Amino acid sequence: MLAAALPGCTGIKLGYNNGVDLAVWWLDGYVDLDSTQTRQLREDLVVLQRQHRQQQLPSYAEWLNQAQTLVTGDLAPEQICSMGNQVRGFVDELLLSGESAAATLALSLTPAQLAQLERKYAKNNAEFRKEWLAPEPAEMRAKRYDKALERAEMVYGRVTPAQKALIRQQVEQSSFDPQLLHAERQRRQTDILQTLHQLQRAAPGAADSLQAVRGLLQRATHSPQAAYRSYAAALAQQDCQGMAAVHNSTTAKQREAAVRWLGSYEKSLQELVAQR
């Protein structure tokens, strides 16, 4: 996620090394943490980050190393989907390692903080509707095209007019549905609020609270809604096909740029691991 959000390798390292502060700041914006919660959360996240740096970052670096070899040749959609599944596996592993810290924080939240969280969700939903549901379909497709083009040029450098046309065609044909995404976002938010309220009322033991948080995280990453799972799977397959088509249209020079881009992130992760 950092690789997608930050502009360069220096940003990756800076963001990761300040990850605890950033996470505390982000969560404080949702629930207005008190001093005790902030201190406990910071302690838990320091431990989690130390474990992540030693145990998981090397796997990320290895993935990037393997990806550099793959992008020198043509790619089948199945290969891209497999790479994506590996990344989702990294996310699941990270969430699993953070269950204890999440349960500790969840049990400490007050009714006022849950009310704050609900207001924050309402604000986020209003912003999502304004950005993705209010615009006309043509405007939304133009926005998605601009984002897709930006990502392609970040990896491959300048793309050709024919490649731009290919990217635009994929956006036009995409089954992306912001209404379904919005509904799933709201489902997750409702699930989170209901689970937190239940934990507050029941005051469960450590094992029960951990199980409740584990279930919540699993439902957040693997929707219980069959219709949404089918939609997400079909969209992922479509995206894999589109990415393969763009990649297979690239020149040797563009693939060299992709190798350098991936290699720069691998080097950054290796440097982060070495900072133990």
Side-chain angles (χ1 to χ4, degrees), residues 108-236:
S108 75
L109 295 175
T110 67
Q113 288 174 317
L114 294 186
Q116 167 68 16
L117 177 60
E118 191 166 5
R119 290 192 294 271
K120 180 69 172 180
Y121 281 155
K123 180 180 178 182
N124 288 351
N125 289 337
E127 292 173 352
F128 183 91
R129 288 191 293 270
K130 180 179 180 180
E131 182 176 4
W132 291 106
L133 302 183
E136 293 296 322
E139 182 183 350
M140 186 182 69
R141 288 194 296 270
K143 182 187 302 185
R144 294 189 65 235
Y145 167 76
D146 289 341
K147 289 181 180 294
L149 179 61
E150 181 182 0
R151 287 193 295 267
E153 292 191 325
M154 179 174 63
V155 178
Y156 297 110
R158 185 180 296 276
V159 301
T160 66
Q163 289 166 339
K164 290 181 180 180
L166 179 58
I167 294 171
R168 187 178 298 279
Q169 180 185 40
Q170 291 166 358
V171 171
E172 294 287 339
Q173 296 176 347
S174 174
S175 59
F176 173 74
D177 188 338
Q179 292 283 0
L180 288 177
L181 180 57
H182 183 51
E184 176 63 13
R185 281 166 51 92
Q186 290 180 306
R187 182 205 63 77
R188 292 172 184 170
Q189 293 165 358
T190 299
D191 192 5
I192 290 170
L193 288 167
Q194 288 178 345
T195 301
L196 292 176
H197 279 295
Q198 289 170 359
L199 286 173
Q200 198 172 71
R201 290 194 299 267
D208 290 337
S209 63
L210 190 62
Q211 183 177 3
V213 169
R214 180 175 301 149
L216 180 61
L217 293 175
Q218 289 173 344
R219 294 190 298 275
T221 54
H222 305 278
S223 176
Q225 300 292 330
Y228 183 80
R229 290 199 308 272
S230 296
Y231 157 74
L235 182 62

Side-chain angles (χ1 to χ4, degrees), residues 38-91:
T38 298
R39 182 172 59 254
Q40 181 63 56
L41 177 62
R42 191 178 298 278
E43 291 174 359
D44 290 342
L45 290 178
V46 166
V47 173
L48 178 61
Q49 187 188 52
R50 186 182 303 119
Q51 294 172 343
H52 183 264
R53 188 190 298 267
Q54 297 171 356
Q55 299 172 10
Q56 293 169 285
L57 280 189
S59 297
Y60 301 175
E62 176 61 24
W63 182 91
L64 287 164
N65 182 269
Q66 293 172 0
Q68 290 168 63
T69 300
L70 289 174
V71 299
T72 60
D74 282 358
L75 289 172
E78 294 76 17
Q79 288 176 289
I80 294 178
C81 281
S82 176
M83 294 167 70
N85 289 335
Q86 286 181 282
V87 173
R88 280 186 285 274
F90 293 150
V91 173

